[in-house]
Amino acid sequence: MLQLPSNLVARRLVPFALPSLPSAPLPSPREAHLWCVKPDELKDASLLQEYMKILSPCEKENVLSVKGEVLQKCALLSRVLVRTTLARCLWIEGLSSGCLFHARLDTDYRINPRSFKFKKNRFGKPEVEWQHNDVGFLPSLQFNVSHTSSLIACGITVNDPIGIDVEEKQRRPNANVLSLASRYFSPPEVQYLKSLVDSDSQKIEFIKLWTLKEAYVKALGRGFSGAPFRKFTIRFETRGDLVSEKLKTGEFRIAVEPVSDHETLTANWHFALAEITGSHFAAICMGIDENDTGKEHDLLKLKVWKTLPYMEDECLSDSEAVIKISGLS
């Protein structure tokens, strides 16, 4: 049997069973939900051991192969957050007692988080591997994960592809910001950063741009090599400006503009940029349904929760813990 290594064995070893997993609402059209965990707030090894039981054998092996206590803990929480976030949004009501699907349900008709199977597309993006008998019973949930050492986030939508990225506001790139931008960003983005005379503003705007670009690449599901950062520009559609510290509300819609006729890049995406808990920037990129005509200019809706899976949830959306920067209704 796999055991957590000694560096994750807690000061408290009182065994306990996980309570029922609370339900959560499904995202509505053009809405993304973001669930966040702060690893530093989880110090109970008994809970970590219970979390380990939720993972598949392969996931357990992957977690235990990670070097270092902090990184190993983040790897565990990342997988648990994905499984519990998906499970709590799926509640199957009114199924017949003879339905084969019951094998994957808890007693309250909620999907057991252990039952999910995952696959990767040919570019390596993880996806839920829906089973044949799922069809017709479950909404098609799409998810994406991002993490720093201090925050892990899982974004979720119904039907529409999603990419997210979270970065620490105080992150300081090792190299010169303008040198990095010249290497990775499009010419208009580089020019924008050069127009900022204050070095601190350059660093903040660099992080915002990087976060948005990362979210877009992850939403495409093709990886960095399939969608190089230099091949597209992040803009505000209504006025053509790049990300600016002056934009303090969701008044403008963030848009993407391919620099060239790159076959993998498209413009049919919603973007949002927010500040989470005063310490992180979070970027969300969500696909626009091509059949949803007349809605392409609507701003993306976002709801944010901080969670400790099975133990506590806190809705942050209507508090000062979530500051809308742009692209949000």
Side-chain angles (χ1 to χ4, degrees), residues 21-28 31-35 80-93 101 105-106 108-113 116 128 130 137-143 154-159 303 305 313:
L21 186 65
S23 61
L26 281 172
S28 62
E31 180 179 69
H33 288 181
L34 197 67
W35 291 81
V80 170
L81 183 61
V82 169
R83 287 180 172 273
T84 55
T85 300
L86 290 170
R88 67 198 306 165
C89 291
L90 297 175
W91 183 67
I92 312 305
E93 185 176 7
F101 199 79
L105 299 179
D106 287 331
D108 55 358
Y109 292 97
R110 196 164 292 123
I111 303 297
N112 189 321
F116 285 103
V128 178
W130 300 109
F137 293 116
L138 297 177
S140 178
L141 295 182
Q142 306 291 316
F143 74 93
C154 178
I156 187 169
T157 62
V158 175
N159 297 322
K303 292 182 180 177
W305 287 266
D313 301 325

Side-chain angles (χ1 to χ4, degrees), residues 2-299:
L2 285 171
Q3 299 289 335
L4 284 173
S6 58
N7 60 9
L8 283 184
V9 172
R11 329 316 176 221
R12 185 168 86 93
L13 293 175
V14 179
F16 66 93
L18 291 175
S20 297
L21 186 65
S23 61
L26 281 172
S28 62
R30 295 180 303 284
E31 180 179 69
H33 288 181
L34 197 67
W35 291 81
C36 304
V37 171
K38 288 194 169 184
D40 289 347
E41 295 181 356
L42 201 165
K43 304 181 185 299
D44 188 338
S46 296
L47 183 56
L48 290 172
Q49 290 176 342
E50 291 300 313
Y51 282 168
M52 201 69 161
K53 298 175 183 178
I54 298 174
L55 274 53
S56 70
C58 181
E59 287 174 322
K60 292 177 184 177
E61 294 284 0
N62 289 338
V63 167
L64 295 179
S65 68
V66 174
K67 305 299 183 183
E69 178 181 351
V70 173
L71 294 179
Q72 191 173 76
K73 184 179 180 182
C74 285
L76 170 59
L77 291 178
S78 178
R79 298 314 307 161
V80 170
L81 183 61
V82 169
R83 287 180 172 273
T84 55
T85 300
L86 290 170
R88 67 198 306 165
C89 291
L90 297 175
W91 183 67
I92 312 305
E93 185 176 7
L95 291 182
S96 65
S97 59
C99 179
L100 294 176
F101 199 79
H102 271 251
R104 300 180 59 205
L105 299 179
D106 287 331
T107 54
D108 55 358
Y109 292 97
R110 196 164 292 123
I111 303 297
N112 189 321
R114 298 180 182 87
S115 69
F116 285 103
K117 294 184 178 180
F118 299 93
K119 61 180 180 180
K120 293 183 178 180
N121 70 11
R122 62 192 183 97
F123 302 102
K125 183 180 181 182
E127 302 171 346
V128 178
E129 185 176 5
W130 300 109
Q131 299 181 14
H132 177 71
N133 54 309
D134 295 345
V135 178
F137 293 116
L138 297 177
S140 178
L141 295 182
Q142 306 291 316
F143 74 93
N144 196 231
V145 181
S146 180
H147 63 83
T148 67
S149 61
S150 55
L151 186 73
I152 302 169
C154 178
I156 187 169
T157 62
V158 175
N159 297 322
D160 299 313
I162 182 175
I164 70 168
D165 189 48
V166 293
E167 298 288 348
E168 295 177 355
K169 287 179 60 180
Q170 299 304 315
R171 172 190 171 190
R172 293 295 179 258
N174 294 329
N176 178 272
V177 164
L178 293 180
S179 297
L180 286 172
S182 297
R183 180 179 178 185
Y184 291 109
F185 287 3
S186 70
E189 292 164 339
V190 175
Q191 186 58 42
Y192 167 69
L193 292 175
K194 287 182 177 179
S195 72
L196 303 173
V197 295
D198 179 70
S199 61
D200 287 338
S201 295
Q202 286 181 345
K203 291 175 182 177
I204 289 293
E205 298 304 295
F206 176 87
I207 294 172
K208 289 179 181 178
L209 281 169
W210 187 281
T211 307
L212 285 163
K213 292 170 82 70
E214 186 77 40
Y216 174 63
V217 168
K218 293 174 71 176
L220 287 174
R222 301 183 66 89
F224 182 82
S225 60
F229 277 12
R230 288 177 58 86
K231 297 297 184 181
F232 63 91
T233 298
I234 298 295
R235 293 187 179 277
F236 282 87
E237 188 176 69
T238 55
R239 52 183 264 180
D241 287 347
L242 298 174
V243 178
S244 171
E245 185 66 26
K246 297 178 181 178
L247 297 174
K248 292 296 185 181
T249 69
E251 181 181 356
F252 300 104
R253 179 180 181 270
I254 304 170
V256 61
E257 176 184 289
V259 173
S260 60
D261 294 331
H262 200 282
E263 61 179 6
T264 64
L265 305 181
T266 60
N268 56 323
W269 300 91
H270 287 299
F271 286 88
L273 184 63
E275 182 182 306
I276 307 294
T277 65
S279 57
H280 293 76
F281 290 124
I284 299 93
C285 179
M286 174 179 167
I288 299 174
D289 188 345
E290 295 178 356
N291 298 319
D292 199 2
T293 58
K295 301 291 186 179
E296 62 272 11
H297 295 290
D298 284 2
L299 296 176

